[in-house]
Amino acid sequence: MVDIREAVTRAHHEEWARVVASLTRRFSDLDIAEEAAAEAFATAVERWRADGVPPNPGAWLTTTANRKAIDRIRREHKRDDKHKEAQMVYDHDPPKPVGAIDDDRLRLIFTCCHPALAMETRVALTLRMVGGLTVPEIARAFLVRETALERRITRAKAKIKAARIPYRVPSAEDLPTRISGVLAVLYLVFNEGYLATGPDTDPLRHDLTTEAIRLTRLIRALLPDDGEVAGLLALMLLTEARRTARVSAGGELVTLVEQDRGAWDAALIAEGHRLVRERLTAAAAGVAPGRYQILAAINAVHTSARDMRDTDWSQVLALYDQLVRFDPSPIIALNRAIAIAELDGPQVALAAVDCLQDKLAGYHAYHATRADLLRRLGRSQQSRVAYDKAIELAGNTAETAYLTRRRDQLR
Protein backbone atom coordinates (compact mmCIF):
# COMPACT_ATOMS: atom_id res chain seq x y z
CA MET A 1 0.00 0.00 0.00
CA VAL A 2 2.85 2.36 0.81
CA ASP A 3 4.43 1.60 -2.59
CA ILE A 4 1.14 2.26 -4.39
CA ARG A 5 0.70 5.59 -2.63
CA GLU A 6 4.25 6.52 -3.58
CA ALA A 7 3.51 5.60 -7.19
CA VAL A 8 0.34 7.73 -7.19
CA THR A 9 2.19 10.63 -5.57
CA ARG A 10 4.94 10.40 -8.18
CA ALA A 11 2.36 10.24 -10.97
CA HIS A 12 0.59 13.26 -9.47
CA HIS A 13 3.83 15.26 -9.58
CA GLU A 14 4.64 14.18 -13.13
CA GLU A 15 1.23 13.91 -14.81
CA TRP A 16 -1.23 16.29 -13.08
CA ALA A 17 -0.60 19.21 -15.46
CA ARG A 18 -0.82 16.99 -18.55
CA VAL A 19 -4.09 15.41 -17.42
CA VAL A 20 -5.74 18.71 -16.50
CA ALA A 21 -4.52 20.42 -19.68
CA SER A 22 -5.76 17.57 -21.86
CA LEU A 23 -9.20 17.66 -20.23
CA THR A 24 -9.38 21.44 -20.50
CA ARG A 25 -8.63 21.26 -24.23
CA ARG A 26 -11.36 18.66 -24.76
CA PHE A 27 -14.12 19.95 -22.47
CA SER A 28 -13.28 23.70 -22.22
CA ASP A 29 -14.18 23.72 -18.54
CA LEU A 30 -11.64 24.10 -15.73
CA ASP A 31 -14.05 22.79 -13.07
CA ILE A 32 -14.69 19.59 -14.99
CA ALA A 33 -10.99 19.20 -15.74
CA GLU A 34 -9.89 19.64 -12.14
CA GLU A 35 -12.57 17.45 -10.58
CA ALA A 36 -12.22 14.65 -13.13
CA ALA A 37 -8.44 14.66 -12.72
CA ALA A 38 -8.76 14.51 -8.93
CA GLU A 39 -11.24 11.61 -9.22
CA ALA A 40 -8.86 9.75 -11.54
CA PHE A 41 -6.01 9.99 -9.04
CA ALA A 42 -8.30 8.86 -6.23
CA THR A 43 -9.39 5.89 -8.37
CA ALA A 44 -5.74 5.06 -9.05
CA VAL A 45 -5.11 4.47 -5.34
CA GLU A 46 -7.73 1.70 -5.32
CA ARG A 47 -7.27 0.23 -8.79
CA TRP A 48 -3.48 0.16 -8.79
CA ARG A 49 -3.49 -1.58 -5.44
CA ALA A 50 -5.56 -4.39 -6.99
CA ASP A 51 -4.19 -4.44 -10.54
CA GLY A 52 -0.68 -3.02 -10.12
CA VAL A 53 0.77 0.22 -11.48
CA PRO A 54 0.10 0.44 -15.26
CA PRO A 55 3.05 0.61 -17.70
CA ASN A 56 2.01 4.17 -18.70
CA PRO A 57 0.47 5.87 -15.65
CA GLY A 58 -0.11 9.15 -17.51
CA ALA A 59 -2.16 7.51 -20.26
CA TRP A 60 -4.15 5.49 -17.69
CA LEU A 61 -4.91 8.62 -15.68
CA THR A 62 -5.89 10.64 -18.75
CA THR A 63 -8.24 7.91 -20.00
CA THR A 64 -9.80 7.46 -16.55
CA ALA A 65 -10.20 11.23 -16.09
CA ASN A 66 -11.89 11.53 -19.49
CA ARG A 67 -14.38 8.85 -18.49
CA LYS A 68 -15.04 10.62 -15.18
CA ALA A 69 -15.64 13.89 -17.02
CA ILE A 70 -18.02 12.26 -19.50
CA ASP A 71 -19.96 10.60 -16.66
CA ARG A 72 -20.34 13.94 -14.94
CA ILE A 73 -21.51 15.67 -18.12
CA ARG A 74 -24.04 12.89 -18.75
CA ARG A 75 -25.41 13.26 -15.23
CA GLU A 76 -25.75 17.02 -15.61
CA HIS A 77 -27.21 16.96 -19.14
CA LYS A 78 -29.44 13.88 -19.31
CA ARG A 79 -31.66 15.46 -21.95
CA ASP A 80 -28.84 16.37 -24.34
CA ASP A 81 -28.99 15.27 -27.93
CA LYS A 82 -27.68 11.69 -28.36
CA HIS A 83 -25.61 12.63 -31.40
CA LYS A 84 -23.74 15.30 -29.44
CA GLU A 85 -23.16 12.77 -26.66
CA ALA A 86 -21.68 10.29 -29.14
CA GLN A 87 -19.34 12.98 -30.50
CA MET A 88 -18.25 13.81 -26.96
CA VAL A 89 -17.56 10.16 -26.12
CA TYR A 90 -15.57 9.26 -29.21
CA ASP A 91 -13.96 12.64 -29.94
CA HIS A 92 -12.69 11.70 -33.42
CA ASP A 93 -12.51 15.29 -34.68
CA PRO A 94 -8.94 16.45 -35.37
CA PRO A 95 -7.77 19.21 -33.02
CA LYS A 96 -8.10 22.75 -34.28
CA PRO A 97 -5.01 24.92 -34.90
CA VAL A 98 -3.92 26.36 -31.57
CA GLY A 99 -1.00 28.68 -32.22
CA ALA A 100 2.74 28.80 -32.70
CA ILE A 101 3.50 26.01 -30.22
CA ASP A 102 1.18 23.04 -29.79
CA ASP A 103 1.45 22.36 -26.07
CA ASP A 104 -1.58 21.78 -23.85
CA ARG A 105 0.16 22.91 -20.68
CA LEU A 106 1.38 26.16 -22.22
CA ARG A 107 -2.17 26.92 -23.40
CA LEU A 108 -3.45 26.14 -19.90
CA ILE A 109 -0.99 28.63 -18.40
CA PHE A 110 -2.08 31.40 -20.77
CA THR A 111 -5.70 30.65 -19.88
CA CYS A 112 -4.99 30.80 -16.15
CA CYS A 113 -2.90 33.97 -16.61
CA HIS A 114 -5.43 35.92 -18.64
CA PRO A 115 -5.29 39.69 -17.92
CA ALA A 116 -9.01 39.66 -17.07
CA LEU A 117 -7.97 38.04 -13.79
CA ALA A 118 -6.18 39.79 -10.93
CA MET A 119 -2.49 38.92 -10.64
CA GLU A 120 -2.81 37.08 -7.31
CA THR A 121 -5.70 35.10 -8.78
CA ARG A 122 -3.64 34.12 -11.85
CA VAL A 123 -0.86 32.81 -9.64
CA ALA A 124 -3.20 30.85 -7.37
CA LEU A 125 -5.12 29.35 -10.28
CA THR A 126 -1.93 28.32 -12.10
CA LEU A 127 -0.45 26.73 -8.99
CA ARG A 128 -3.68 24.75 -8.58
CA MET A 129 -4.42 23.80 -12.19
CA VAL A 130 -0.88 23.45 -13.58
CA GLY A 131 1.21 22.83 -10.47
CA GLY A 132 -1.29 20.53 -8.79
CA LEU A 133 -0.76 22.17 -5.39
CA THR A 134 -3.51 21.86 -2.81
CA VAL A 135 -5.43 24.86 -1.53
CA PRO A 136 -3.69 24.70 1.90
CA GLU A 137 -0.26 24.66 0.19
CA ILE A 138 -1.10 27.69 -1.96
CA ALA A 139 -2.64 29.50 1.02
CA ARG A 140 0.62 29.10 2.96
CA ALA A 141 2.59 30.45 -0.01
CA PHE A 142 0.28 33.49 -0.18
CA LEU A 143 0.00 33.98 3.58
CA VAL A 144 -3.81 34.02 3.27
CA ARG A 145 -6.67 31.98 4.74
CA GLU A 146 -7.61 28.77 2.96
CA THR A 147 -11.28 29.75 2.70
CA ALA A 148 -10.39 33.06 1.07
CA LEU A 149 -8.10 31.34 -1.42
CA GLU A 150 -10.73 28.71 -2.24
CA ARG A 151 -13.22 31.47 -3.05
CA ARG A 152 -10.61 33.24 -5.19
CA ILE A 153 -9.96 30.13 -7.28
CA THR A 154 -13.68 29.36 -7.63
CA ARG A 155 -14.44 32.91 -8.81
CA ALA A 156 -11.55 32.76 -11.30
CA LYS A 157 -12.80 29.55 -12.91
CA ALA A 158 -16.33 30.96 -13.08
CA LYS A 159 -15.05 34.14 -14.73
CA ILE A 160 -13.07 32.19 -17.33
CA LYS A 161 -16.21 30.21 -18.18
CA ALA A 162 -18.59 33.18 -18.21
CA ALA A 163 -16.27 35.42 -20.24
CA ARG A 164 -15.44 32.56 -22.64
CA ILE A 165 -11.73 33.18 -22.21
CA PRO A 166 -10.12 31.14 -25.00
CA TYR A 167 -7.92 28.14 -24.30
CA ARG A 168 -4.98 28.99 -26.57
CA VAL A 169 -1.59 30.64 -26.86
CA PRO A 170 -2.18 34.30 -27.82
CA SER A 171 -1.41 35.54 -31.31
CA ALA A 172 2.02 37.06 -32.01
CA GLU A 173 0.75 40.64 -31.72
CA ASP A 174 -0.88 39.95 -28.34
CA LEU A 175 2.06 38.10 -26.77
CA PRO A 176 4.10 41.10 -25.51
CA THR A 177 1.19 42.45 -23.47
CA ARG A 178 0.43 39.04 -21.96
CA ILE A 179 3.92 37.85 -21.17
CA SER A 180 4.77 39.73 -17.95
CA GLY A 181 1.91 38.10 -16.04
CA VAL A 182 2.86 34.64 -17.30
CA LEU A 183 6.50 35.13 -16.28
CA ALA A 184 5.46 36.19 -12.78
CA VAL A 185 3.39 33.03 -12.42
CA LEU A 186 6.13 30.75 -13.76
CA TYR A 187 8.61 32.28 -11.32
CA LEU A 188 6.31 31.57 -8.38
CA VAL A 189 5.68 28.02 -9.61
CA PHE A 190 9.45 27.53 -9.79
CA ASN A 191 9.95 28.95 -6.30
CA GLU A 192 7.31 26.62 -4.88
CA GLY A 193 9.21 23.70 -6.38
CA TYR A 194 12.59 24.91 -5.18
CA LEU A 195 11.44 25.29 -1.59
CA ALA A 196 8.00 23.71 -1.20
CA THR A 197 5.70 25.24 1.42
CA GLY A 198 3.73 22.10 2.27
CA PRO A 199 4.74 20.28 5.48
CA ASP A 200 3.71 16.89 4.03
CA THR A 201 5.44 17.27 0.65
CA ASP A 202 9.01 16.76 -0.47
CA PRO A 203 11.08 19.80 0.56
CA LEU A 204 12.17 20.19 -3.08
CA ARG A 205 9.70 19.46 -5.87
CA HIS A 206 11.75 18.72 -8.96
CA ASP A 207 8.58 18.23 -11.01
CA LEU A 208 7.57 21.88 -10.50
CA THR A 209 11.01 23.35 -11.18
CA THR A 210 11.42 21.18 -14.28
CA GLU A 211 7.98 22.13 -15.58
CA ALA A 212 8.57 25.86 -14.95
CA ILE A 213 11.88 25.67 -16.84
CA ARG A 214 10.29 23.70 -19.69
CA LEU A 215 7.47 26.22 -20.11
CA THR A 216 9.87 29.17 -19.89
CA ARG A 217 11.93 27.59 -22.69
CA LEU A 218 8.77 27.36 -24.80
CA ILE A 219 8.03 31.03 -24.19
CA ARG A 220 11.62 31.91 -25.11
CA ALA A 221 11.06 30.09 -28.41
CA LEU A 222 8.01 32.33 -28.94
CA LEU A 223 9.90 35.52 -27.95
CA PRO A 224 13.65 34.93 -28.52
CA ASP A 225 14.49 38.65 -28.25
CA ASP A 226 12.62 39.35 -25.01
CA GLY A 227 15.19 40.19 -22.33
CA GLU A 228 12.97 39.34 -19.37
CA VAL A 229 12.15 35.89 -20.74
CA ALA A 230 15.87 35.22 -21.14
CA GLY A 231 16.50 36.66 -17.69
CA LEU A 232 13.90 34.45 -16.03
CA LEU A 233 15.25 31.36 -17.79
CA ALA A 234 18.79 32.23 -16.65
CA LEU A 235 17.57 32.80 -13.09
CA MET A 236 15.81 29.43 -13.03
CA LEU A 237 18.80 27.58 -14.48
CA LEU A 238 21.29 29.11 -12.04
CA THR A 239 18.99 28.33 -9.12
CA GLU A 240 18.16 24.81 -10.30
CA ALA A 241 21.89 24.10 -10.74
CA ARG A 242 22.25 24.17 -6.93
CA ARG A 243 19.29 21.87 -6.21
CA THR A 244 21.23 18.66 -5.51
CA ALA A 245 23.33 20.47 -2.89
CA ARG A 246 20.31 22.16 -1.32
CA VAL A 247 19.21 19.38 1.08
CA SER A 248 21.48 17.07 3.10
CA ALA A 249 21.19 13.28 3.21
CA GLY A 250 19.47 13.72 6.57
CA GLY A 251 16.77 15.93 5.04
CA GLU A 252 18.07 19.27 6.33
CA LEU A 253 18.32 22.47 4.32
CA VAL A 254 21.90 23.35 3.34
CA THR A 255 22.45 27.10 3.01
CA LEU A 256 24.58 28.70 0.30
CA VAL A 257 27.45 29.12 2.77
CA GLU A 258 27.61 25.38 3.51
CA GLN A 259 26.80 23.92 0.10
CA ASP A 260 29.25 21.67 -1.76
CA ARG A 261 29.83 23.76 -4.86
CA GLY A 262 31.38 20.79 -6.59
CA ALA A 263 27.90 19.20 -6.59
CA TRP A 264 26.38 22.06 -8.57
CA ASP A 265 25.31 21.31 -12.16
CA ALA A 266 28.05 22.80 -14.31
CA ALA A 267 26.04 22.58 -17.55
CA LEU A 268 23.10 24.54 -16.13
CA ILE A 269 25.47 27.15 -14.68
CA ALA A 270 27.25 27.55 -18.03
CA GLU A 271 23.93 28.01 -19.85
CA GLY A 272 22.70 30.48 -17.25
CA HIS A 273 25.92 32.50 -17.38
CA ARG A 274 25.74 32.63 -21.18
CA LEU A 275 22.21 34.07 -21.02
CA VAL A 276 23.31 36.64 -18.42
CA ARG A 277 26.25 37.72 -20.60
CA GLU A 278 23.88 38.15 -23.55
CA ARG A 279 21.69 40.46 -21.50
CA LEU A 280 24.72 42.39 -20.20
CA THR A 281 25.75 42.98 -23.82
CA ALA A 282 22.25 44.27 -24.56
CA ALA A 283 22.42 46.53 -21.48
CA ALA A 284 25.75 47.93 -22.70
CA ALA A 285 23.99 48.80 -25.96
CA GLY A 286 21.43 50.86 -24.04
CA VAL A 287 18.70 48.28 -23.37
CA ALA A 288 17.84 48.61 -19.66
CA PRO A 289 17.63 45.30 -17.80
CA GLY A 290 14.42 44.24 -16.06
CA ARG A 291 13.69 42.54 -12.75
CA TYR A 292 14.45 38.98 -13.80
CA GLN A 293 17.64 39.97 -15.57
CA ILE A 294 18.94 41.65 -12.42
CA LEU A 295 17.99 38.65 -10.27
CA ALA A 296 19.79 36.40 -12.76
CA ALA A 297 22.87 38.64 -12.57
CA ILE A 298 22.86 38.35 -8.75
CA ASN A 299 22.74 34.57 -9.04
CA ALA A 300 25.54 34.68 -11.61
CA VAL A 301 27.73 36.46 -9.07
CA HIS A 302 27.01 33.77 -6.47
CA THR A 303 27.62 30.88 -8.87
CA SER A 304 30.85 32.44 -10.15
CA ALA A 305 32.48 32.38 -6.69
CA ARG A 306 34.55 29.33 -5.77
CA ASP A 307 33.35 29.65 -2.16
CA MET A 308 31.41 32.11 -0.05
CA ARG A 309 34.52 34.15 0.81
CA ASP A 310 35.12 34.88 -2.89
CA THR A 311 31.66 36.36 -3.42
CA ASP A 312 31.74 39.93 -4.74
CA TRP A 313 29.29 41.35 -2.22
CA SER A 314 29.74 44.92 -3.40
CA GLN A 315 28.48 43.85 -6.84
CA VAL A 316 25.60 41.97 -5.25
CA LEU A 317 24.59 45.06 -3.27
CA ALA A 318 24.85 47.28 -6.35
CA LEU A 319 22.54 44.91 -8.22
CA TYR A 320 20.05 44.93 -5.33
CA ASP A 321 20.14 48.73 -5.40
CA GLN A 322 19.13 48.50 -9.06
CA LEU A 323 16.46 45.95 -8.29
CA VAL A 324 14.84 48.05 -5.58
CA ARG A 325 13.91 50.60 -8.26
CA PHE A 326 11.92 47.89 -10.12
CA ASP A 327 10.61 46.06 -7.10
CA PRO A 328 10.59 48.00 -3.79
CA SER A 329 9.01 45.03 -2.01
CA PRO A 330 9.95 44.21 1.60
CA ILE A 331 11.27 40.78 0.52
CA ILE A 332 13.78 42.41 -1.84
CA ALA A 333 14.75 44.76 0.99
CA LEU A 334 15.27 41.73 3.25
CA ASN A 335 17.58 40.07 0.72
CA ARG A 336 19.44 43.35 0.27
CA ALA A 337 20.03 43.46 4.03
CA ILE A 338 21.81 40.11 3.84
CA ALA A 339 24.31 41.64 1.41
CA ILE A 340 24.67 44.63 3.75
CA ALA A 341 25.58 42.25 6.58
CA GLU A 342 28.51 40.91 4.55
CA LEU A 343 29.79 44.39 3.71
CA ASP A 344 28.93 46.56 6.71
CA GLY A 345 28.37 43.98 9.46
CA PRO A 346 25.36 42.41 11.20
CA GLN A 347 24.54 45.48 13.32
CA VAL A 348 23.89 47.68 10.28
CA ALA A 349 21.95 44.88 8.58
CA LEU A 350 19.82 44.26 11.69
CA ALA A 351 18.72 47.89 11.74
CA ALA A 352 17.59 47.54 8.12
CA VAL A 353 15.79 44.27 8.84
CA ASP A 354 13.99 45.62 11.91
CA CYS A 355 12.43 48.33 9.73
CA LEU A 356 10.56 45.57 7.87
CA GLN A 357 8.79 44.12 10.91
CA ASP A 358 5.35 45.54 10.17
CA LYS A 359 5.36 44.16 6.62
CA LEU A 360 7.03 40.78 7.17
CA ALA A 361 5.90 39.72 10.65
CA GLY A 362 4.20 36.63 9.19
CA TYR A 363 7.09 35.65 6.92
CA HIS A 364 9.40 32.96 8.30
CA ALA A 365 12.49 34.16 6.37
CA TYR A 366 12.28 37.54 8.10
CA HIS A 367 12.56 35.90 11.52
CA ALA A 368 15.24 33.47 10.30
CA THR A 369 17.34 36.39 9.02
CA ARG A 370 16.93 38.27 12.30
CA ALA A 371 17.86 35.14 14.24
CA ASP A 372 21.09 34.73 12.28
CA LEU A 373 22.07 38.40 12.66
CA LEU A 374 21.34 38.33 16.39
CA ARG A 375 23.41 35.12 16.68
CA ARG A 376 26.34 36.81 14.95
CA LEU A 377 26.03 39.70 17.39
CA GLY A 378 26.17 37.34 20.37
CA ARG A 379 22.60 38.10 21.46
CA SER A 380 21.69 34.45 21.96
CA GLN A 381 18.45 34.82 23.91
CA GLN A 382 16.91 37.17 21.35
CA SER A 383 18.21 34.95 18.59
CA ARG A 384 16.49 31.94 20.14
CA VAL A 385 13.16 33.79 20.24
CA ALA A 386 13.54 34.71 16.57
CA TYR A 387 14.43 31.13 15.63
CA ASP A 388 11.34 29.88 17.50
CA LYS A 389 9.14 32.21 15.48
CA ALA A 390 10.79 31.21 12.21
CA ILE A 391 10.29 27.51 13.02
CA GLU A 392 6.64 28.16 13.88
CA LEU A 393 6.03 29.84 10.51
CA ALA A 394 8.18 27.65 8.24
CA GLY A 395 6.26 25.01 6.31
CA ASN A 396 9.19 23.31 4.61
CA THR A 397 10.47 20.27 6.50
CA ALA A 398 14.10 20.72 5.44
CA GLU A 399 14.07 24.37 6.44
CA THR A 400 12.48 23.54 9.81
CA ALA A 401 15.20 20.97 10.49
CA TYR A 402 17.93 23.51 9.67
CA LEU A 403 16.42 26.25 11.81
CA THR A 404 15.96 23.85 14.72
CA ARG A 405 19.61 22.79 14.59
CA ARG A 406 20.82 26.40 14.45
CA ARG A 407 18.62 27.33 17.40
CA ASP A 408 19.82 24.36 19.44
CA GLN A 409 23.46 25.32 18.81
CA LEU A 410 22.98 28.62 20.64
CA ARG A 411 24.58 28.92 24.06
Side-chain angles (χ1 to χ4, degrees):
M1 186 57 184
V2 172
D3 290 342
I4 293 301
R5 288 197 177 276
E6 288 177 356
V8 173
T9 299
R10 182 168 60 251
H12 186 274
H13 286 173
E14 296 173 356
E15 304 294 344
W16 172 267
R18 288 188 182 91
V19 175
V20 171
S22 173
L23 293 170
T24 304
R25 175 178 59 79
R26 183 171 178 184
F27 299 106
S28 301
D29 190 304
L30 290 178
D31 265 330
I32 289 175
E34 181 187 0
E35 291 182 17
E39 288 180 25
F41 280 97
T43 301
V45 175
E46 300 301 322
R47 291 284 298 278
W48 294 4
R49 179 172 54 181
D51 304 337
V53 179
N56 188 336
W60 189 97
L61 288 162
T62 300
T63 300
T64 302
N66 271 284
R67 290 171 180 161
K68 298 288 185 184
I70 290 168
D71 288 344
R72 172 179 166 174
I73 292 170
R74 281 172 171 164
R75 288 195 302 270
E76 294 178 355
H77 302 283
K78 289 182 180 179
R79 298 178 184 177
D80 277 359
D81 182 81
K82 294 297 180 183
H83 177 65
K84 288 182 180 179
E85 181 178 297
Q87 282 186 324
M88 175 186 68
V89 172
Y90 293 107
D91 193 29
H92 289 318
D93 291 339
K96 299 176 182 178
V98 290
I101 293 181
D102 184 10
D103 185 278
D104 280 343
R105 286 165 290 179
L106 188 60
R107 291 195 292 275
L108 182 57
I109 279 192
F110 273 101
T111 302
C112 293
C113 297
H114 196 276
L117 305 174
M119 175 58 76
E120 63 272 15
T121 300
R122 298 178 213 173
V123 176
L125 190 61
T126 303
L127 288 172
R128 179 74 197 110
M129 303 303 296
V130 181
L133 274 67
T134 65
V135 168
E137 286 173 335
I138 303 169
R140 278 191 292 271
F142 273 92
L143 304 178
V144 298
R145 293 181 181 277
E146 292 177 23
T147 52
L149 186 75
E150 184 75 69
R151 288 195 297 270
R152 184 183 298 174
I153 292 175
T154 300
R155 286 195 299 267
K157 289 189 289 188
K159 187 168 187 176
I160 287 172
K161 189 173 183 178
R164 298 182 182 276
I165 290 174
Y167 174 65
R168 64 177 177 85
V169 174
S171 60
E173 56 269 23
D174 291 336
L175 267 175
T177 59
R178 295 282 302 278
I179 207 66
S180 61
V182 172
L183 294 184
V185 168
L186 286 175
Y187 183 41
L188 285 165
V189 171
F190 179 87
N191 281 340
E192 176 59 31
Y194 191 65
L195 196 62
T197 56
D200 300 321
T201 62
D202 292 335
L204 304 181
R205 290 192 56 180
H206 184 46
D207 57 307
L208 289 184
T209 58
T210 299
E211 183 67 1
I213 290 172
R214 188 191 75 83
L215 291 167
T216 305
R217 288 191 189 279
L218 287 180
I219 293 174
R220 180 159 163 75
L222 286 172
L223 296 170
D225 299 322
D226 189 295
E228 282 293 80
V229 176
L232 179 58
L233 180 57
L235 173 60
M236 289 179 176
L237 294 174
L238 294 173
T239 307
E240 178 72 358
R242 307 196 299 268
R243 178 177 56 84
T244 55
R246 179 76 162 159
V247 175
S248 71
E252 182 181 312
L253 181 74
V254 182
T255 61
L256 187 61
V257 179
E258 301 170 316
Q259 283 177 21
D260 175 9
R261 301 190 176 213
W264 291 355
D265 189 317
L268 291 181
I269 289 175
E271 184 181 358
H273 283 184
R274 178 179 58 77
L275 289 168
V276 170
R277 285 194 298 271
E278 286 179 8
R279 301 322 308 164
L280 289 175
T281 301
V287 180
R291 177 174 182 261
Y292 298 118
Q293 294 168 74
I294 297 172
L295 285 169
I298 292 170
N299 274 267
V301 175
H302 285 302
T303 51
S304 296
R306 288 175 298 180
D307 61 43
M308 195 71 170
R309 291 169 298 181
D310 292 333
T311 304
D312 187 345
W313 287 105
S314 59
Q315 188 177 1
V316 171
L317 183 58
L319 287 166
Y320 271 118
D321 288 340
Q322 266 188 283
L323 184 59
V324 166
R325 291 197 289 271
F326 284 97
D327 184 3
S329 72
I331 292 178
I332 294 298
L334 181 67
N335 290 331
R336 181 180 177 275
I338 295 171
I340 290 174
E342 299 301 323
L343 287 170
D344 300 326
Q347 186 67 56
V348 177
L350 182 62
V353 169
D354 283 343
C355 292
L356 304 172
Q357 181 177 2
D358 291 344
K359 297 177 181 177
L360 295 180
Y363 184 45
H364 76 280
Y366 163 77
H367 298 283
T369 302
R370 283 194 78 248
D372 183 64
L373 294 172
L374 289 164
R375 178 191 59 80
R376 291 167 63 178
L377 290 167
R379 294 158 63 178
S380 297
Q381 187 57 40
Q382 291 173 284
S383 178
R384 181 181 297 277
V385 172
Y387 273 124
D388 286 340
K389 188 64 177 177
I391 291 166
E392 175 190 333
L393 294 171
N396 185 280
T397 55
E399 199 163 16
T400 300
Y402 165 76
L403 292 169
T404 302
R405 176 174 66 84
R406 294 295 281 174
R407 180 199 62 190
D408 293 345
Q409 287 174 339
L410 292 169
R411 293 180 181 178

